[in-house]
């Protein structure tokens, strides 16, 4: 099996693109059925023929996003523009064989043709000695294929215009370049977004004209947001870069995308890339749009995050935040975060001091009762010998008992004194981690406000 991912570097790598890349990668990483232990080849081709919109920065960003996802390619990246000599050779062959012809027909000519022959008649031009190049489409029969996701797809030839495959200046058009490149790379399976389905008959006709056997095709249904509308920025992160900045783990992104519209049971939700490759089947991909729900990704991300070894999670968080020495804070925060981005707002006070949240202060320490509870807590904590979470808990619970309060009436003032807000990792663990001196200092500061 030889598959490819063929992004156009006209923007960032979007989630739909990441899905196409992942599905191709998974296919290439399935061991072949004879059990010989070999696998397929995943190739990367940069479709940079749109010279105005293709930029080096976009190429770099796509490669970076694929690398972050762990979708390493086996061949490439190949530049489509780099294949120009080969495109010219194939074009000359089709012209010489009579499969293609020059034509100066304009859009106006095509319109007139349809007025004469009927709106659903495909345009057929008169061969001329110069001009753009069109491919001959047979007058009868169908151009079709068995889509590995959608089943039989077929287009009547009579309704298809002879497609333009090269401009008058000799530069080839997209569908021609794609077919020639897929042929030369011996691609066996083309897996891409459904938006390309109308290109497929044109590409099939190029294969046919070149006397070659086309690959098999699978078109992946569109991605929708939870509201049923086409996935866009409105639904949250839309590109891989944005998912990364939002603190998602590549493992979770891959896992979630792999499950999108493939009908896995919920209890099969947690996979590594290699496990996904073993389970993935194109015929499990649903024909209806898949729903990308960032809340589900968040949930799955939390699971992946907690499954990491503490040292590994610490390293990722240190990279994400650009801070060091996070280990102990990570240990007490990991149950409370779903993304890497959740960590600093939760635990940053352990390093940078309390946050500034006057409303939380007013609510918990602003009243006489709050101040008194906090003063009692201070006195109790000052007596604690070994400053462990268990000892801190015991001291604070004793205050709760003695004053006949609810736990929160003591814990919350302490929390706001040390964290500045009402969100933090577990209060006993946080206090123990800060240590006695620092905790008392922060409580004194709060009492003096
Ligand atoms: N370059 C196309 C795109 O980025 C993909 C073409 C293909 O996979 O055949 O949408």
């Amino acid at each position: 099996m030889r598959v490819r991912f063929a992004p156009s570097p006209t923007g960032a790598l979007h989630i739909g693109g990441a899905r196409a890349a992942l599905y191709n990668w998974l296919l290439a990483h399935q061991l072949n059925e004879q059990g010989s232990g070999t696998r397929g080849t995943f190739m990367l081709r940069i479709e940079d023929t749109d010279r105005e919109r293709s930029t080096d920065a976009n190429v770099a960003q796509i490669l970076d996003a694929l690398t972050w996802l762990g979708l390493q390619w086996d061949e490439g990246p190949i530049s489509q523009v780099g294949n120009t000599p080969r495109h010219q050779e194939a074009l000359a062959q089709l012209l010489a064989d009579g499969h293609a012809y020059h034509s100066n027909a304009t859009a106006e000519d095509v319109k007139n043709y349809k007025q004469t022959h009927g709106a659903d008649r495909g345009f057929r031009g008169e061969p001329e000695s110069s001009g753009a190049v069109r491919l001959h489409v047979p007058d009868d029969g169908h151009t079709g294929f068995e889509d590995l996701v959608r089943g039989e797809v077929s287009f009547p030839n009579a309704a298809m215009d002879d497609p333009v495959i090269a401009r008058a200046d000799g530069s080839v058009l997209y569908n021609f370049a794609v077919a020639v490149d897929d042929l030369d790379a011996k691609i066996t399976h083309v897996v891409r977004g459904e938006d390309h389905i109308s290109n497929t008959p044109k590409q099939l006709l190029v294969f046919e004209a070149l006397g070659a056997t086309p690959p098999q095709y699978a078109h992946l249904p569109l991605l929708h947001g939870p509201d049923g509308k086409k996935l866009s920025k409105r639904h949250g992160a839309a590109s891989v870069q944005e998912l990364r900045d939002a603190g998602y783990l590549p493992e979770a992104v891959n896992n979630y995308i792999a499950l999108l519209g493939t009908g896995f049971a919920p209890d099969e939700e947690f996979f590594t890339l290699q496990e996904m490759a073993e389970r993935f089947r194109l015929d499990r991909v649903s024909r209806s749009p898949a729903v990308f729900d960032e809340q589900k990704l968040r949930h799955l991300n939390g699971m992946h995050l907690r499954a990491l070894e503490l040292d590994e999670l610490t390293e990722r968080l240190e990279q994400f935040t650009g801070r060091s020495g996070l280990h102990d804070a990570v240990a007490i925060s990991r149950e409370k975060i779903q993304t890497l981005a959740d960590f600093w707002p939760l635990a940053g006070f352990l390093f940078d001091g309390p946050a500034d949240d006057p409303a939380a202060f007013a609510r918990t320490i602003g009243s006489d009762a709050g101040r008194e509870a906090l003063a009692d807590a201070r006195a109790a904590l000052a007596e604690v010998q070994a400053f462990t979470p268990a000892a801190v808990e015991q001291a604070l619970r004793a205050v709760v008992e003695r004053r006949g309060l609810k736990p929160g009436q003591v814990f919350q003032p302490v929390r706001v004194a040390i964290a500045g807000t009402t969100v933090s990792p577990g209060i006993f663990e946080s206090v123990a981690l800060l240590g006695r001196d620092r905790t008392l200092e922060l409580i004194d500061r709060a009492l003096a406000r």
Side-chain angles (χ1 to χ4, degrees), residues 207-249:
F207 273 95
E208 199 174 306
L210 290 168
T213 310
Q216 287 191 277
Y217 291 88
H219 290 92
L220 307 173
L222 291 176
L223 293 185
H224 282 179
D227 59 359
K229 304 224 169 77
K230 200 172 167 240
L231 192 65
S232 72
K233 245 189 124 64
R234 223 185 17 215
H235 297 104
S239 69
V240 173
Q241 195 61 48
E242 285 165 334
L243 290 175
R244 174 188 191 163
D245 293 346
Y248 293 106
L249 304 177

Side-chain angles (χ1 to χ4, degrees), residues 48-288:
D48 48 3
T49 46
D50 181 344
R51 299 313 288 157
E52 259 150 46
R53 292 167 61 228
S54 300
T55 66
D56 289 345
N58 288 334
V59 173
Q61 199 183 135
I62 291 170
L63 300 191
D64 185 50
L66 290 173
T67 303
W68 180 74
L69 287 169
L71 304 180
Q72 188 53 51
W73 48 95
D74 305 307
E75 289 181 12
I78 285 184
S79 148
Q80 189 155 56
V81 166
N83 289 347
T84 303
R86 171 60 189 142
H87 299 153
Q88 291 304 320
E89 184 188 291
L91 187 67
Q93 184 190 332
L94 292 190
L95 281 165
D97 293 351
H99 289 296
Y101 60 95
H102 287 289
S103 161
N104 284 303
T106 60
E108 192 62 26
D109 295 332
V110 173
K111 207 172 121 197
N112 291 337
Y113 183 93
K114 289 182 190 269
Q115 252 158 24
T116 319
H117 293 83
D120 52 3
R121 273 299 293 181
F123 174 74
R124 303 284 178 262
E126 291 300 327
E128 297 172 59
S129 56
S130 68
V133 179
R134 285 183 185 263
L135 191 67
H136 277 300
V137 176
D139 269 323
D140 41 28
H142 286 76
T143 296
F145 57 101
E146 184 70 23
D147 190 287
L148 296 173
V149 170
R150 303 163 58 100
E152 184 68 32
V153 179
S154 175
F155 299 84
N157 290 331
M160 238 187 291
D161 293 339
D162 283 355
V164 177
I165 55 174
R167 301 177 189 88
D169 66 6
S171 59
V172 302
L173 266 76
Y174 171 74
N175 281 308
F176 182 72
V178 171
V180 172
D181 291 349
D182 284 340
L183 169 62
D184 287 356
K186 301 190 170 59
I187 296 302
T188 59
H189 296 74
V190 169
V191 178
R192 61 187 173 197
E194 193 178 87
D195 45 331
H196 287 285
I197 202 152
S198 61
N199 289 329
T200 308
K202 294 175 199 161
Q203 296 174 15
L204 285 171
L205 287 166
V206 173
F207 273 95
E208 199 174 306
L210 290 168
T213 310
Q216 287 191 277
Y217 291 88
H219 290 92
L220 307 173
L222 291 176
L223 293 185
H224 282 179
D227 59 359
K229 304 224 169 77
K230 200 172 167 240
L231 192 65
S232 72
K233 245 189 124 64
R234 223 185 17 215
H235 297 104
S239 69
V240 173
Q241 195 61 48
E242 285 165 334
L243 290 175
R244 174 188 191 163
D245 293 346
Y248 293 106
L249 304 177
E251 297 93 319
V253 173
N254 282 328
N255 193 161
Y256 184 65
I257 293 179
L259 295 179
L260 271 187
T262 49
F264 279 99
D267 59 345
E268 282 185 278
E269 264 182 359
F270 200 89
F271 297 133
T272 64
L273 267 180
Q274 194 54 50
E275 286 165 348
M276 284 185 256
E278 280 151 30
R279 285 170 175 75
F280 183 76
R281 298 287 175 271
L282 274 176
D283 59 21
R284 289 183 81 158
V285 176
S286 153
R287 290 182 199 196
S288 31

Side-chain angles (χ1 to χ4, degrees), residues 343-354:
F343 174 75
W344 200 255
L346 184 77
F349 74 92
L350 295 166
F351 305 90
D352 291 353

Side-chain angles (χ1 to χ4, degrees), residues 394-411:
Q394 205 181 22
L396 292 180
R397 288 204 188 277
V399 175
V400 171
E401 279 301 275
R402 206 162 51 238
R403 298 200 132 241
L405 296 172
K406 291 192 202 123
Q409 290 173 302
V410 175
F411 302 166

